[in-house]
Amino acid sequence: MNTDRVTCDVEDGVAQVRLNRPDKMNALDPALFEALVSVGSGLIDRTDVSAVVIAGEGRAFCAGLDMGQFAKMAGGVDDLVVETERLGAAKALGQQAAHIWSLVPVPVIAALHGVAFGGGLQVALGADIRIAAPDMKLSVMEIVWGLIPDMTGTQLLPELVGRDVAKELVFTGRRISGTEAAALGLVTRTDDDPLAAATALATEIAGNSRNALVHAKHLLDLAGHVTLAEGFDAEQVAIRELIGSPEQTEVVRKRTEELARRKS
């Protein structure tokens, strides 16, 4: 599932996805957008994957849009906003490259280092968990180019940091550190080695029941987007599917044996 722009390798239930344009600090061009959508789509139906780590090769996670894209925009052309067949909730290619990670049914963890600017930061917003280097820089910087964060950013940022903080970040385009991003809730936590931390977390997660993980991610993503009654009903649908299933029965067996060994 590798392309020249994004690589994906699976081992022990963890998919390691890498933006692979290090000479350009993984700047986003149409080929990279398409590769993100392709690789993400390929993970949706893989039952051998229980967690995903997405990171960038080289000095940064992603520096945002390639400068060539800005030149196209100045000429009135932007192939990233052209609408295609809807993928989840997204029609535009740029939105799909970020949104695809929320459609992957298992937990996705973004490991952020160097910089995550503009569209690069929005790709990270599609992950379930973000671990950032304390000294890295993040920015919703579209405003400085006369643009808005149109790759899902306007819709996802307020949920993470609150509406007022989201507005401040979008209106100013200011750069913040990984430490400040964690304080604001933009990233989950910081670590001096975000890739190692993300991989360790993904490995821990992948040791749990995949079916339970899939249901848990779906239910948590519903929270706040459906009525409380609908959320409660969805919980009951999920728990009825899980209880007594072959996977859950095997988990109980192994857990019971483990507890017995500890007592002996």
Side-chain angles (χ1 to χ4, degrees):
M1 199 191 300
N2 293 325
T3 73
D4 63 344
R5 287 286 197 268
V6 177
T7 63
C8 179
D9 298 291
V10 177
E11 183 177 355
D12 297 329
V14 176
Q16 294 282 355
V17 176
R18 297 289 182 273
L19 281 68
N20 189 36
R21 204 184 180 205
D23 56 320
K24 299 289 187 179
M25 295 180 71
N26 300 313
L28 298 163
D29 64 356
L32 182 45
F33 278 103
E34 290 169 359
L36 285 167
V37 174
S38 175
V39 170
S41 297
L43 289 170
I44 290 176
D45 295 322
R46 286 195 62 159
T47 57
D48 61 332
V49 172
S50 295
V52 177
V53 174
I54 182 169
E57 296 286 7
R59 296 180 294 132
F61 177 74
C62 179
L65 279 185
D66 187 283
M67 292 300 295
Q69 288 301 125
F70 291 114
K72 288 183 180 180
M73 291 176 189
V77 177
D78 186 1
D79 38 17
L80 303 179
V81 300
V82 174
E83 294 187 349
T84 61
E85 182 178 351
R86 191 178 294 277
L87 178 65
K91 284 186 176 180
L93 177 61
Q95 290 176 331
Q96 292 175 353
H99 184 50
I100 188 64
W101 306 105
S102 66
L103 302 180
V104 173
V106 297
V108 178
I109 305 164
L112 309 178
H113 76 291
V115 301
F117 289 158
L121 177 54
Q122 291 177 83
V123 169
L125 294 182
D128 301 292
I129 297 168
R130 285 160 293 282
I131 301 177
D135 59 350
M136 72 167 298
K137 298 299 179 184
L138 306 93
S139 174
V140 193
M141 63 165 44
E142 281 81 0
I143 200 73
V144 305
W145 293 97
L147 302 171
I148 51 95
D150 66 322
M151 290 170 51
T152 75
T154 63
Q155 302 306 296
L156 298 183
L157 271 175
E159 184 174 349
L160 289 173
V161 301
R163 192 173 298 272
D164 56 339
V165 173
K167 287 180 178 180
E168 188 229 349
L169 294 175
V170 171
F171 294 166
T172 65
R174 72 182 181 91
R175 302 183 182 192
I176 62 175
S177 68
T179 300
E180 183 177 358
L184 293 175
L186 184 58
V187 301
T188 312
R189 59 183 169 92
T190 62
D191 194 281
D192 290 334
D193 190 339
L195 180 55
T199 299
L201 179 57
T203 301
E204 177 185 354
I205 289 171
N208 293 317
S209 160
R210 185 182 186 278
N211 287 339
L213 289 170
V214 169
H215 280 295
K217 175 170 176 173
H218 172 66
L219 290 166
L220 291 167
D221 284 343
L222 285 181
H225 298 283
V226 299
T227 67
L228 197 56
E230 289 173 308
F232 286 168
D233 289 347
E235 277 188 357
Q236 291 305 298
V237 170
I239 201 67
R240 289 187 181 110
E241 290 184 11
L242 291 170
I243 290 176
S245 66
E247 185 179 76
Q248 197 261 339
T249 300
E250 180 64 11
V251 168
V252 171
R253 184 190 67 79
K254 288 182 178 179
R255 180 65 172 163
T256 302
E257 291 178 352
E258 179 184 347
L259 291 173
R261 285 195 299 271
R262 290 180 181 178
K263 292 179 179 179
S264 62

